[in-house]
Amino acid sequence: MITDSHCHLDYPNLYNQLDEVISRAKLSNVNNLLTICTTLESFKKIKIIINKYNNIYGTFGIHPHETEKNINVDTNFILNSVNTSKKIIGVGETGLDYYYNHSNKKIQKKSFEEHIYAALKLNMPVIVHSRNAEDDTYDILNNFKKNSNLKILMHCFTGSTKFAEKLLALNCYISVSGIITFNKSQELIKTISIVPIEKLLVETDSPYLAPTPLRGKPNEPSYITHTVNKLAEIKKISIDSVATHTTRNFNNLFRI
């Protein structure tokens, strides 16, 4: 069985055909899914989804792109939102994105910290997005980790080997997406090869990042098999072993 640790089922091209999407996922041996919150509007749909499907869980968080529009989302707001359902099992996605800079860096950092405070109070994992922001991401996580048992999941990892090593030193989990199937991802593959299988999760980030050979199509959870197959090749273990380890890691991290 496989767990898709990060998808966006509230997005229209998935939400509008959700029964079919979930059926195809089951046929691909995807047993559990975590649908990730990015905005207040997405959270409304996420609550509908997790109430309908037993095997789907959700999170609450504000994506770094959206932080300027949501400066009122502080620790208490996050706590109150998470506590609306027992099937909300993580905080995020949050973090830093300096590639697009859709929101001011200072505001992104503040929002990231508010999410971390909430994750600590809830004893839940924080799901982290980091793009072109390795140093600041690490500094913030390291600062909180020093005196806490913060649980960290770095989603859709595309960073440097040095960054991966620093995250592992913080006892982070690292999630890989269909990007590892891309021809241009040789450096990333080398980095993932050194990450212990006990620290790896798999995700689609659907509807984005469809894996090879499905690039250009809207991604969906059933496509995660291509990522699992590639990870088995990278780690030189069986496909079943990858599925077992990554699902166990997800269950341990999120207490499923």
Side-chain angles (χ1 to χ4, degrees):
M1 295 187 291
I2 304 168
T3 299
D4 185 350
S5 66
H6 193 113
C7 54
H8 298 281
L9 299 178
D10 61 289
Y11 283 39
N13 49 348
L14 296 175
Y15 189 76
N16 294 341
Q17 53 164 334
L18 205 46
D19 285 343
E20 293 86 350
V21 167
I22 301 308
S23 293
R24 289 192 291 268
K26 288 181 178 177
L27 288 173
S28 294
N29 204 30
V30 181
N31 59 321
N32 285 330
L33 304 95
L34 184 60
T35 185
I36 304 294
C37 182
T38 57
T39 66
L40 298 182
E41 285 302 310
S42 78
F43 191 57
K44 294 176 184 177
K45 289 184 178 178
I46 285 168
K47 287 194 287 186
I48 293 170
I49 293 167
I50 63 177
N51 284 334
K52 182 176 180 181
Y53 300 95
N54 290 334
N55 65 325
I56 303 178
Y57 299 85
T59 69
F60 178 83
I62 301 297
H63 192 284
H65 289 338
E66 307 294 332
T67 51
E68 277 194 30
K69 303 173 190 173
N70 294 276
I71 55 175
N72 61 316
V73 178
D74 58 9
T75 299
N76 285 333
F77 191 108
I78 297 166
L79 294 174
N80 291 334
S81 298
V82 170
N83 287 329
T84 58
S85 170
K86 290 182 179 180
K87 291 188 75 182
I88 301 300
I89 59 173
V91 176
E93 75 188 86
T94 181
L96 305 173
D97 193 314
Y98 297 168
Y99 183 81
Y100 288 109
N101 272 325
H102 287 328
S103 290
N104 174 275
K105 288 182 180 180
K106 187 175 180 180
I107 293 174
Q108 288 189 48
K109 289 180 182 179
K110 181 68 164 60
S111 177
F112 189 16
E113 291 171 349
E114 294 289 331
H115 282 75
I116 294 172
Y117 282 124
L120 284 169
K121 287 180 178 290
L122 292 159
N123 193 28
M124 285 183 178
V126 60
I127 297 107
V128 181
H129 170 112
S130 180
R131 190 169 186 190
N132 284 31
E134 289 188 0
D135 289 344
D136 283 355
T137 300
Y138 173 77
D139 287 346
I140 290 171
L141 292 174
N142 183 52
N143 185 56
F144 277 93
K145 188 70 176 177
K146 285 176 184 175
N147 301 303
S148 74
N149 190 33
L150 178 64
K151 300 172 184 176
I152 305 164
L153 173 57
M154 184 60 60
H155 118 84
C156 193
F157 184 83
T158 56
S160 65
T161 300
K162 181 180 178 183
F163 189 38
E165 291 171 341
K166 290 166 74 175
L167 292 173
L168 290 171
L170 295 180
N171 202 31
C172 294
Y173 285 82
I174 290 174
S175 180
V176 295
S177 69
I179 292 175
I180 63 171
T181 70
F182 299 176
N183 289 334
K184 66 178 182 180
S185 296
Q186 295 310 307
E187 285 302 313
L188 176 60
I189 288 169
K190 289 179 184 177
T191 298
I192 296 303
S193 70
I194 70 162
V195 178
I197 190 65
E198 292 79 12
K199 285 297 177 183
L200 285 169
L201 279 71
V202 288
E203 66 171 272
T204 56
D205 202 17
S206 49
Y208 304 113
L209 302 176
T212 302
L214 300 163
R215 293 192 68 181
K217 295 183 178 181
N219 200 5
E220 62 175 77
S222 63
Y223 296 171
I224 202 169
T225 53
H226 298 281
T227 301
V228 170
N229 294 351
K230 184 64 178 181
L231 187 55
E233 177 188 319
I234 294 168
K235 303 303 291 182
K236 298 181 172 59
I237 58 178
S238 70
I239 292 168
D240 285 347
S241 185
V242 168
T244 299
H245 274 96
T246 55
T247 292
R248 183 186 299 139
N249 296 341
F250 177 88
N251 292 345
N252 288 341
L253 179 60
F254 288 98
R255 296 181 294 166
I256 298 300

